[in-house]
Amino acid sequence: MANHEFLEKITLVPGVSGFEKQATRVMKEYLSDCVDEFQYDNLGSLVAIKKGTGDLKVLMAGHIDEIGFVVKGIENDGYIKVHPLGGWPGRNLPSSVMILTTREGKEIKGVFGGSPKGGEAGRQAPLPIDALLDIGVTSKEEAVKAGVRIGDPICPASEFTVMTNPKFLMSKAWDDRVGVAVICEVMKAFKGVETEATIYAAGTIQEEVGCRGAKTVGQMIQPDVAFALDVCFSNDVPDGKKDDVKLGCGVVLGVLDGSVIAHTGLLKKMESLCEELGLNYQLDVLQGGGTDSGELSKVGKGVVNMTLSIPSRYMHSSHTIVREDDIDATVKVLAEFCKRITPEILEEIKKDKQ
């Protein structure tokens, strides 16, 4: 059962790409009673370590950054020019409330608003990605006096909502705090439990701008097996394809995306494990895009790697929806893999490529 208190805290804390410290602190606090050690890479990724009895190393990575903006400039009339961090669809910007955090930690609310000009077509058009943020001032001097400076991070404002069907959860930053939540719950499941493999749970930084934390963490850990935990598109939306990947479909096993092809031996192992455990699962083929797996798979001479995903509606918006039982199913299969993996099983997995 997902921990709603933790889910609320980890999703609502600000942590856009390059400014993840508050989010990694929440993760660290939650895991402080069930892991043996914490490490950081030099970019700010957090790695929680559960030591095993053998030499195998299993890495679970969930990127802890979220999409947002930084201040690019301040107009003479006080409007804030922004630079996007991650892929912001223009249609998601109108009337979106944002929180700008100054160097001193002061939080300033603002909103993206459009011009009333242009007739019906102008009113219906989405805001361009170079839209201006209105923080409620009349001049550049007033904005500067409030503490605004170039480079300040801007994070979506939202709220955590348990919806009409209580399995449906809405918040910001499910991409990819839900992946972080999954790996945290796996670590919680091993509190006081001995495993042969040493388990690493990484909250990686800057995935939305190039999977940078995955590269540094992978090099630091040198894992034998690595899983990237991320979101994928749920197709049960009004204009969706209504195909298999949807909320409630269970564990989503990533076959390939624009950055990686899953290790076929590991994919087959996870399929058989889901079937043995009686867990629903779906296979996902994404023609473009990518996850931390793209970098993790290329560490050293190559890592046995794949992506596990949680379906989400309205990805890359301030209000994304996931389903709790999909989270629970992903935790269950991943924990079972980490509990069972041995050098002999890993060699069997590797033989699929030999």
Side-chain angles (χ1 to χ4, degrees):
M1 184 76 174
N3 183 322
H4 284 190
E5 182 180 355
F6 173 64
L7 292 177
E8 179 173 3
K9 197 169 184 179
I10 195 66
T11 55
L12 296 187
V13 67
V16 300
S17 301
F19 300 86
E20 300 93 347
K21 185 175 181 178
Q22 290 188 63
T24 56
R25 283 179 172 177
V26 172
M27 179 183 174
K28 186 175 183 180
E29 179 185 18
Y30 189 60
L31 293 179
S32 61
D33 67 338
C34 65
V35 300
D36 298 306
E37 183 183 348
F38 291 101
Q39 294 180 0
Y40 287 91
D41 69 9
N42 290 331
L43 301 183
S45 298
L46 174 67
V47 183
I49 304 169
K50 166 73 174 177
K51 294 180 180 178
T53 59
D55 296 327
L56 275 184
K57 293 185 283 186
V58 177
L59 171 62
M60 306 177 296
H63 74 85
I64 203 159
D65 62 314
E66 61 182 304
I67 59 171
F69 302 88
V70 294
V71 175
K72 185 170 69 173
I74 307 172
E75 301 282 80
N76 288 333
D77 54 7
Y79 286 96
I80 307 300
K81 297 170 66 176
V82 301
H83 175 80
L85 296 172
W88 269 98
R91 66 182 180 274
N92 291 340
L93 290 182
S95 300
S96 292
V97 178
M98 299 282 156
I99 298 175
L100 184 158
T101 304
T102 68
R103 301 286 207 280
E104 295 73 32
K106 177 183 177 182
E107 293 187 346
I108 298 174
K109 278 194 175 181
V111 64
F112 283 116
S115 169
K117 298 179 181 179
E120 185 63 23
R123 287 192 290 272
Q124 295 300 325
L127 282 177
I129 205 63
D130 60 353
L132 299 174
L133 186 70
D134 185 345
I135 63 167
V137 296
T138 59
S139 67
K140 179 176 182 178
E141 291 73 21
E142 195 174 351
V144 171
K145 186 177 180 180
V148 180
R149 295 175 64 185
I150 291 174
D152 287 342
I154 301 169
C155 175
S158 188
E159 60 282 324
F160 179 85
T161 303
V162 178
M163 302 188 76
T164 305
N165 179 335
K167 293 181 179 179
F168 288 69
L169 306 174
M170 181 170 66
S171 193
K172 75 169 182 67
W174 284 127
D175 184 9
D176 180 37
R177 307 284 169 74
V178 69
V180 173
V182 166
I183 64 175
C184 285
E185 294 306 328
V186 171
M187 298 302 263
K188 287 282 191 180
F190 289 125
K191 182 177 180 178
V193 177
E194 187 176 272
T195 59
E196 181 165 349
T198 294
I199 314 299
Y200 299 81
T204 56
I205 54 84
Q206 296 187 44
E207 189 270 355
E208 296 290 358
V209 292
C211 300
R212 297 165 186 172
K215 186 170 186 175
T216 52
V217 165
Q219 292 171 162
M220 184 172 76
I221 302 303
Q222 297 286 316
D224 298 294
V225 182
F227 294 93
L229 280 296
D230 215 320
V231 292
C232 62
F233 292 101
S234 181
N235 291 301
D236 56 342
V237 292
D239 59 348
K241 298 177 182 178
K242 305 294 194 298
D243 55 13
D244 290 335
V245 178
K246 58 187 178 182
L247 297 188
C249 75
V251 184
V252 179
L253 307 178
V255 176
L256 64 85
D257 58 39
S259 69
V260 72
I261 299 174
H263 190 286
T264 51
L266 184 58
L267 176 61
K268 292 173 184 176
K269 183 65 177 177
M270 296 305 286
E271 285 179 316
S272 64
L273 196 51
C274 287
E275 290 165 4
E276 179 186 338
L277 297 173
L279 298 173
N280 293 331
Y281 71 92
Q282 295 294 343
L283 302 173
D284 189 32
V285 174
L286 182 63
Q287 293 181 351
T291 70
D292 278 346
S293 281
E295 291 294 341
L296 294 173
S297 64
K298 296 180 287 188
V299 171
K301 60 183 181 181
V303 175
V304 174
N305 166 259
M306 67 177 295
T307 300
L308 304 182
S309 298
I310 295 88
S312 67
R313 292 179 183 168
Y314 324 121
M315 191 191 302
H316 282 203
S317 76
S318 300
H319 297 87
T320 299
I321 299 174
V322 298
R323 188 163 159 150
E324 185 172 321
D325 42 3
D326 294 333
I327 300 172
D328 293 341
T330 309
V331 170
K332 186 172 182 179
V333 71
L334 191 54
E336 194 66 24
F337 177 90
C338 291
K339 182 172 71 174
R340 294 189 187 189
I341 188 66
T342 63
E344 294 74 24
I345 292 174
L346 180 57
E347 287 305 310
E348 287 297 316
I349 290 171
K350 288 180 178 180
K351 284 181 181 178
D352 203 69
K353 292 291 190 184
Q354 299 169 357

